[in-house]
Amino acid sequence: MITRIVKMTLDPDKVKAFEQHFDQYQLHIRNFPGNQFLKLYQDIHQPHVFFTYSYWDSEDDLNQYRNSELFAKVWAETKPMFAEKAQAWSVACKVELP
């Protein structure tokens, strides 16, 4: 399993529109094959900065999503809301605490 972390810095005037946009698509993303988890976090000191954390069964599953019509639609509508280029990391857990 891998975790995908995406940091998005939005235009402060677009925060409300982004939240509505995320609400509209979150279940579609969560139900995409290979997705196990999706959550949106908001920075407590910079409310225009958001992070998504998603769990994928494999990198292939993530890449299938990233190459899907769903991703193309979501990203095309999200990207104009950014104040900065999004940053993304794919990570794997190395140590699990009991």
Side-chain angles (χ1 to χ4, degrees):
M1 183 176 299
I2 64 168
T3 301
R4 181 71 167 182
I5 304 164
V6 180
K7 177 185 179 186
M8 297 166 285
T9 302
L10 302 173
D11 177 330
D13 295 334
K14 305 260 169 94
V15 168
K16 205 48 127 178
F18 172 77
E19 291 172 332
Q20 293 170 345
H21 177 70
F22 184 83
D23 284 344
Q24 178 182 354
Y25 288 107
Q26 66 178 319
L27 289 178
H28 297 285
I29 299 167
R30 284 183 180 155
N31 290 322
F32 198 88
N35 181 270
Q36 300 299 321
F37 175 88
L38 172 67
K39 204 158 217 182
L40 178 68
Y41 296 91
Q42 185 176 27
D43 189 288
I44 62 172
H45 298 292
Q46 299 177 83
H48 65 289
V49 176
F50 288 84
F51 297 84
T52 57
Y53 279 67
S54 56
Y55 299 163
W56 296 88
D57 289 335
S58 69
E59 188 174 19
D60 286 340
D61 290 317
L62 171 61
N63 287 333
Q64 285 182 23
Y65 167 67
R66 292 181 66 221
N67 293 315
S68 71
E69 288 181 29
L70 174 60
F71 178 81
K73 181 173 177 56
V74 170
W75 200 245
E77 294 175 14
T78 305
K79 196 171 178 181
M81 299 181 200
F82 294 161
E84 297 176 14
K85 185 178 177 183
Q87 297 177 297
W89 301 268
S90 293
V91 298
C93 182
K94 289 296 185 187
V95 177
E96 292 204 30
L97 300 175

